[in-house]
Amino acid sequence: MKRFYPILFILFLFVSCLKEPEFHSYQVKFNVDFGADFPQDKKSGAKVVLFNQTKIYTVEAKTDSEGLVHFQSIEPGLYSVTISYKFSKDGYVYFYNGVKDVQIFDNGTNSISVSGTKTSAFVIKEFYFSGSTTPAGKPYSADQYIELFNNSADTQYADGLTLIEHESYGTGENYWNNMKDSIVAKMVWTIPGSGSEVPILPGKSIILARTGINHKSDPNGNPLSPVNLGNAEFEFYVAKQPETDIDSPTVPNLEEDKFVFRGKDVAFHVGGGSAIAFARIPGKNYTERMAYINKNLIAKASVSGPNATYYVKIANSSVYDAIEVIMDEAHAVYKRLPSSMDIGYTYVVAGSGSGKCIRRKVKEIINGRVVYQDSNNSTEDFLKDADPKPKQYE
């Protein structure tokens, strides 16, 4: 019995040694510095990867609502920390990335800065402005439309987006050439809603029609028109007395915010002079938008009399997508949009009444979802003289 206790004691020491850890572990926190203007509600969920450079393994965690990430039981050593984060907000897709080498030999908190870029989730897929020709040989342009496409992998909301048309038709020198921070618009129409009422699914689109009817079969249409716009999401409707514009009972109306030279109907230049853009004007509703517009009116002296005409300045920073549409190569010198929006230009070679449109080129297809090319260069991004194919993604 006396020999049993020494043996038991030795076994106890041996087991105790087996349980002792090979290293001291630490608790480490990282504070991700997204920048002063980063939205507070998006600070949680960023993936942070801790990579052990010696033993070649990774540990992952995500930031909390304050932009902090906590790692438990981290062994001492040399690490690299990588942050990659993507999210959608207000029609943009944001990308944030950062990397830093750290030494972990104690408990503590480190700070990591990230840099961000953004790209518009919304692009103009098709712009059909040339119009068609009736059997009698007359011009017909009521079948014009603009197609707004969700080029991102997340559902986006289009209500509150505003379509603007540049003041100039591009037939001469841009009167506003010295204005670098804004577009001067003569037409401003907004998709109605509170911000969550007009969803566009990934890889899908909505149609803004000049007149929301089946132009091929409606008695008010043109049997030679290439499009049926009876299922458009919205239409431009000019309310006047006596009524001259067709108000489709099945297609909701856009909100008219500003319409200089207000005629009996909205009409885009059939020859290709309408440079257009989608923007988000400050303001949560019509009243607030109009307050912004009224504060940003700008006058242009009339060439035919003493009176001035008032247009509205829309900040470049508010624009999602824009197209420099010209009449032909000879008019390319009269560029209106800044290069940051569109370094190039495009047009319909076949001309007015041809029934042709400009359509954005496909860049790639991801799991069946079409992604359109968007390099802010309409010369490269668009097909000329394409057949109008609203809501066909090819």
Side-chain angles (χ1 to χ4, degrees):
M1 289 295 293
K2 291 182 180 180
R3 297 175 59 186
F4 175 75
Y5 289 107
I7 294 174
L8 185 62
F9 178 73
I10 293 172
L11 287 173
F12 175 77
L13 291 176
F14 178 72
V15 172
S16 299
C17 290
L18 287 178
K19 289 182 178 180
E20 185 176 342
E22 296 180 358
F23 58 85
H24 294 285
S25 62
Y26 301 109
Q27 297 184 25
V28 185
K29 298 179 182 178
F30 292 96
N31 178 29
V32 181
D33 181 7
F34 290 105
D37 298 329
F38 191 87
Q40 181 67 36
D41 63 334
K42 293 296 182 181
K43 286 189 174 181
S44 64
K47 184 173 73 172
V48 181
V49 178
L50 195 60
F51 174 69
N52 187 302
Q53 298 178 357
T54 303
K55 296 187 177 180
I56 317 301
Y57 69 84
T58 61
V59 183
E60 295 184 7
K62 291 187 176 181
T63 54
D64 62 17
S65 60
E66 298 300 320
L68 285 168
V69 62
H70 304 253
F71 288 97
Q72 305 286 338
S73 301
I74 301 300
E75 66 176 302
L78 303 178
Y79 291 82
S80 65
V81 186
T82 304
I83 300 170
S84 56
Y85 190 30
K86 183 190 81 169
F87 64 88
S88 295
K89 185 178 179 66
D90 296 333
Y92 289 103
V93 180
Y94 292 83
F95 300 88
Y96 283 85
N97 295 282
V99 63
K100 183 178 182 180
D101 290 331
V102 296
Q103 298 181 12
I104 298 178
F105 294 102
D106 201 352
N107 298 322
T109 300
N110 286 273
S111 180
I112 303 176
S113 297
V114 295
S115 59
T117 60
K118 69 177 181 179
T119 182
S120 172
F122 297 111
V123 297
I124 300 167
K125 178 211 159 204
E126 286 184 13
F127 184 19
Y128 170 57
F129 53 82
S130 67
S132 50
T133 304
T134 69
K138 295 182 178 181
Y140 180 86
S141 60
D143 54 354
Q144 295 174 329
Y145 69 87
I146 299 164
E147 184 170 9
L148 180 65
F149 183 83
N150 177 5
N151 213 32
S152 77
D154 303 311
T155 297
Q156 304 292 335
Y157 291 89
D159 39 329
L161 286 185
T162 295
L163 176 78
I164 60 177
E165 182 184 5
H166 196 283
E167 181 272 331
S168 172
Y169 275 137
T171 55
E173 192 68 28
N174 179 15
Y175 183 86
W176 314 101
N177 198 44
N178 293 326
M179 187 172 295
K180 304 300 183 182
D181 62 347
S182 302
I183 295 177
V184 177
K186 61 185 172 187
M187 193 172 74
V188 181
W189 291 73
T190 299
I191 299 171
S194 61
S196 58
E197 298 174 31
V198 186
I200 307 181
L201 297 177
K204 300 299 180 182
S205 62
I206 61 172
I207 302 296
L208 278 58
R210 176 174 162 183
T211 304
I213 63 173
N214 185 342
H215 293 273
K216 298 179 180 181
S217 61
D218 193 285
N220 295 302
N222 171 24
L224 298 183
S225 171
V227 292
N228 169 16
L229 301 180
N231 61 348
E233 278 70 25
F234 296 96
E235 70 170 356
F236 299 89
Y237 173 66
V238 181
K240 299 188 76 171
Q241 292 293 334
E243 186 173 301
T244 53
D245 191 9
I246 296 175
D247 186 8
S248 171
T250 60
V251 179
N253 297 327
L254 295 165
E255 292 182 341
E256 178 187 333
D257 295 337
K258 184 71 174 174
F259 191 10
V260 183
F261 311 125
R262 191 171 187 266
K264 64 179 182 179
D265 193 3
V266 167
F268 299 101
H269 197 294
V270 293
S274 296
I276 62 171
F278 276 96
R280 192 179 294 276
I281 295 177
K284 297 179 181 179
N285 51 47
Y286 176 80
T287 301
E288 293 180 5
R289 284 199 315 273
M290 289 306 300
Y292 173 88
I293 288 173
N294 290 330
K295 288 180 181 178
N296 287 275
L297 295 177
I298 187 168
K300 180 180 181 182
S302 174
V303 296
S304 58
N307 296 327
T309 303
Y310 286 87
Y311 304 93
V312 58
K313 295 187 300 179
I314 306 296
N316 293 347
S317 58
S318 300
V319 173
Y320 289 95
D321 192 31
I323 309 178
E324 182 82 42
V325 183
I326 62 173
M327 295 182 181
D328 50 40
E329 289 288 345
H331 289 85
V333 295
Y334 304 126
K335 188 168 174 60
R336 295 149 291 180
L337 300 177
S339 296
S340 58
M341 289 184 193
D342 192 350
I343 197 170
Y345 54 83
T346 189
Y347 57 96
V348 169
V349 180
S352 62
S354 63
K356 300 296 183 179
C357 75
I358 56 171
R359 183 190 312 130
R360 194 175 290 271
K361 297 176 183 177
V362 174
K363 177 185 177 182
E364 59 186 336
I365 298 177
I366 302 176
N367 297 325
R369 176 176 63 88
V370 169
V371 178
Y372 286 99
Q373 184 171 309
D374 184 21
S375 65
N376 288 340
N377 184 346
S378 290
T379 305
E380 300 296 330
D381 291 346
F382 281 85
L383 300 169
K384 300 181 179 71
D385 288 21
D387 292 325
K389 294 184 177 180
K391 295 193 177 182
Q392 296 182 47
Y393 313 115
E394 56 183 49

